[in-house]
């Protein structure tokens, strides 16, 4: 794992880390998830226009596929509950369920059209379906977000000021994709009469809202950033915006955007969305005592999904073989191996590092990691002394036995889970946490090692 640039949530001992979902209704996650349906709607409309126009069609198709999966997953989670999305328990409010059902019904035909476009089998009619229907869907998602925010505003979990800030922060992502859509429509001649004004309004709203979030705007219910980390994240996004917002100037002056301008707007929208996602993550974990917003879904993901990796026969065999091989190692021997690893990792390669990274089990772990589409950012397995057995990426050290990831799992016993603080990973540009679990021999039930997964926290929230 790359060295983190900041740490924001401190870890707790393993025995204190299991959170009772009955004491946590996922208010923050529900507000964030419901509000994100707006940005997904705008993202769908933007990507649909680009697919239809043949502007970066391949990436736009991938974007449509991602939007479809996320929209379906969020709607289902809001209705039925999803611990993996930070929303334990099904929705019980009749008013909220009505809003969710209405939104899902409006989403249906647009979802079908998006599926066709994403698969490459789409037609002009599919693009027209999305163009004609996305505004109504957006309005419904706005209404849904307001209903959910009103229901889950609770001083014990979510203050009204928190809900207001989350609403504006999430809206920034929708505005970023709206600007791209407007550029695409202007470029292809499919724009409505007020498209240029819509672009101008969106640019201005994005600018003013970003400043309000960064500096605070009490008159609109926006408090200043709660900590330096949030403030720095907003400053970073503001710098990106200021440096690149000029790509809209020609269109705002009445010139028809070229395909390259639309592609540049799409790239900017993606960068701004990542920046705002980082900020939203920090807002979500900023309230003291509310780390359940990431711990609950991370625990669910680890126990329901990642634990399935730990029964692989080759993985179990590799741990048992290394335990036998290292049975006679002294503490001094371990430290010598750790120093060798650190030197090789710093140099970029070496016999010890290369042996582990090229092993069949390490290759399998990397395949499993890649299949999570960014949820898992790293994984490494440890033996009964805390020494690495296999891993998907190079770790900074070889011995983990002096760290909580091993001490709070292997030494605790079966089913132990340790969740680390949230850190910013420079190599991925996302905030992540580490979830560590003990590994048992399926035949005997004996704890034989431990595993650590790096988890993209933003994928969970």
């Amino acid at each position: 794992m790359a060295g983190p640039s900041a740490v924001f949530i401190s870890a707790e001992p393993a025995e204190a880390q299991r959170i009772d979902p009955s004491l946590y209704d996922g208010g923050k996650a529900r507000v964030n998830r419901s509000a994100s349906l707006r940005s997904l709607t705008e993202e769908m409309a933007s990507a649909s226009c680009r697919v239809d126009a043949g502007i970066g069609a391949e990436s736009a198709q991938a974007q449509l596929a991602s939007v479809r999966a996320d929209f379906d997953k969020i709607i289902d989670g809001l209705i039925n509950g999803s611990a993996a999305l930070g929303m334990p328990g099904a929705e019980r409010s009749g008013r909220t369920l009505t809003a969710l059902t209405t939104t899902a019904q409006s989403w249906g035909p647009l979802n079908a059209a998006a599926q066709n476009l994403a698969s490459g089998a789409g037609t002009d009619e599919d693009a027209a379906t999305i163009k004609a229907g996305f505004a109504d869907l957006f309005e419904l998602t706005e209404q849904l977000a307001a209903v959910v925010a009103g229901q889950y505003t609770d001083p014990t979990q979510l203050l009204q000021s928190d809900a207001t800030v989350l609403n504006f922060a999430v809206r920034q992502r929708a505005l970023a994709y709206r600007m791209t859509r407007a550029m695409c429509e202007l470029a292809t001649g499919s724009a409505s009469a007020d498209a240029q004004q819509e672009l101008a309004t969106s640019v201005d709203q994005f600018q003013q809202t970003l400043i309000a979030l960064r500096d605070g705007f009490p008159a609109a219910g926006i408090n200043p950033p709660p900590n330096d980390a949030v403030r720095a994240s907003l400053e970073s996004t503001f710098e990106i915006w200021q440096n690149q917002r000029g790509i809209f100037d020609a269109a705002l002056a009445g010139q028809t955007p070229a395909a390259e301008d639309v592609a540049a707007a799409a790239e900017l929208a993606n960068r701004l969305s990542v920046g705002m996602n980082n900020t939203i993550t920090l807002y979500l974990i900023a309230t003291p005592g509310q780390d359940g917003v990431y711990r609950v879904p991370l625990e669910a993901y680890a126990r329901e999904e990642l634990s399935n990796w730990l029964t692989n026969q080759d993985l179990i065999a590799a741990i048992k073989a290394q335990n036998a091989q290292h049975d006679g190692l002294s503490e001094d021997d371990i430290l010598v191996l750790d120093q060798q690893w650190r030197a090789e990792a710093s140099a970029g390669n070496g016999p010890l590092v290369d042996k582990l990274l090229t092993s069949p089990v390490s290759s399998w772990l990397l395949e499993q990691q890649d299949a999570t589409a960014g949820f898992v950012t790293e994984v490494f397995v440890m033996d009964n002394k805390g020494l690495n057995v296999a891993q998907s990426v190079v770790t900074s050290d070889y011995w983990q036995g002096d760290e909580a990831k091993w001490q709070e799992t292997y030494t605790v016993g079966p089913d132990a889970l340790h969740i680390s603080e949230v850190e910013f990973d420079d190599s991925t540009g996302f905030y992540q946490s580490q979830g560590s679990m003990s590994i048992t021999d399926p035949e005997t039930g004996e704890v034989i090692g431990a595993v650590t997964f790096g988890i993209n926290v933003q994928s969970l929230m």
Side-chain angles (χ1 to χ4, degrees):
M1 170 183 165
S5 59
V7 175
F8 305 103
I9 299 287
S10 58
E12 301 172 4
E15 61 270 16
Q17 287 200 329
R18 187 182 287 274
I19 295 172
D20 183 356
S22 67
L23 304 177
Y24 171 79
D25 66 4
K28 278 189 174 182
R30 289 180 182 273
V31 169
N32 178 43
R33 296 290 187 182
S34 61
S36 69
L37 294 175
R38 297 176 303 179
S39 59
L40 288 173
T41 300
E42 284 286 0
E43 187 176 0
M44 172 186 62
S46 167
S48 171
C49 180
R50 286 180 284 123
V51 169
D52 193 44
I55 301 175
E58 186 174 339
S59 62
Q61 286 173 326
Q63 203 167 5
L64 279 174
S66 176
V67 166
R68 290 187 60 247
D70 288 346
F71 205 107
D72 283 341
K73 183 169 58 178
I74 290 171
I75 286 289
D76 182 71
L78 287 167
I79 293 174
N80 300 309
S82 170
L85 291 181
M87 304 181 293
E91 181 57 60
R92 291 183 172 83
S93 165
R95 183 186 181 199
T96 303
L97 285 170
T98 297
L100 282 163
T101 300
T102 303
T103 302
Q105 290 172 344
S106 178
W107 162 244
L110 276 68
N111 182 23
Q115 181 179 21
N116 291 337
L117 290 168
S119 69
T123 63
D124 290 343
E125 184 178 347
D126 291 313
T129 296
I130 292 176
K131 181 175 173 57
F134 85 89
D136 289 340
L137 178 61
F138 184 88
E139 184 175 347
L140 289 173
T141 61
E142 287 251 78
Q143 295 169 6
L144 173 63
V147 170
V148 172
Q151 178 183 346
Y152 288 94
T153 296
D154 177 354
T156 64
Q157 290 207 33
L158 182 67
L159 300 173
Q160 180 61 53
S161 57
D162 291 334
T164 299
V165 167
L166 280 174
N167 177 58
F168 279 107
V170 175
R171 190 186 71 169
Q172 290 293 85
R173 295 185 303 193
L175 289 172
Y177 292 117
R178 182 178 298 173
M179 289 183 278
T180 303
R181 172 181 56 77
M183 288 283 282
C184 181
E185 291 177 352
L186 289 168
T188 58
S190 61
S192 60
D194 60 351
Q196 187 176 356
Q197 181 57 50
E198 181 184 40
L199 177 60
T201 300
S202 299
V203 168
D204 183 64
Q205 281 186 331
F206 191 93
Q207 169 89 4
Q208 297 306 319
T209 302
L210 194 54
I211 292 174
L213 289 168
R214 184 194 64 182
D215 300 339
F217 188 29
I222 302 176
N223 290 330
N227 55 44
D228 290 341
V230 175
R231 184 175 295 105
S233 180
L234 287 165
E235 285 283 6
S236 175
T237 302
F238 187 77
E239 183 177 353
I240 293 172
W241 169 246
Q242 287 295 93
N243 288 340
Q244 298 188 43
R245 61 170 293 183
I247 62 177
F248 302 110
D249 290 347
L252 292 173
Q255 298 180 32
T256 300
E260 308 86 74
D261 299 322
V262 178
E267 175 60 28
L268 175 58
N270 290 335
R271 292 192 67 192
L272 292 173
S273 182
V274 169
M276 291 312 304
N277 274 338
N278 285 343
T279 299
I280 290 164
T281 297
L282 293 174
Y283 270 120
L284 286 168
I285 63 177
T287 306
Q290 291 303 312
D291 53 356
V293 75
Y294 79 93
R295 289 189 184 277
V296 166
L298 197 158
E299 177 173 344
Y301 185 60
R303 295 194 184 280
E304 296 173 12
E305 301 291 338
L306 300 180
S307 61
N308 295 324
W309 299 17
L310 308 184
T311 58
N312 178 274
Q313 293 183 356
D314 292 335
L315 174 66
I316 298 298
I319 298 172
K320 293 170 71 173
Q322 183 160 304
N323 285 347
Q325 179 185 351
H326 288 169
D327 184 53
L329 287 183
S330 67
E331 183 174 343
D332 286 342
D333 294 332
I334 290 173
L335 293 178
V336 168
L337 285 171
D338 191 51
Q339 289 300 317
Q340 178 186 346
W341 178 278
R342 289 170 182 265
E344 292 181 12
S346 178
N349 58 63
L352 184 57
V353 169
D354 292 345
K355 177 184 177 182
L356 257 67
L357 285 179
T358 58
S359 74
V361 175
S362 290
S363 298
W364 179 79
L365 289 175
L366 181 57
E367 291 174 2
Q368 296 297 107
Q369 174 183 314
D370 290 343
T372 67
F375 261 66
V376 176
T377 59
E378 64 176 345
V379 55
F380 51 95
V381 175
M382 300 155 275
D383 65 14
N384 61 3
K385 296 186 184 300
L387 293 168
N388 291 359
V389 176
Q391 54 206 95
S392 64
V393 297
V394 179
T395 52
S396 58
D397 48 10
Y398 181 53
W399 182 51
Q400 320 297 333
D402 59 341
E403 300 181 31
K405 59 174 66 77
W406 184 82
Q407 294 177 349
E408 298 289 348
T409 54
Y410 176 80
T411 64
V412 171
D415 299 323
L417 172 67
H418 178 269
I419 298 174
S420 75
E421 62 257 359
V422 173
E423 302 173 339
F424 185 75
D425 187 347
D426 291 310
S427 65
T428 63
F430 293 110
Y431 288 90
Q432 78 165 38
S433 175
Q434 289 185 333
S436 301
M437 308 170 72
S438 55
I439 300 177
T440 59
D441 184 339
E443 295 181 356
T444 66
E446 176 189 4
V447 177
I448 58 174
V451 62
T452 292
F453 298 95
I455 306 295
N456 179 353
V457 171
Q458 288 157 239
S459 296
L460 297 171
M461 298 193 297

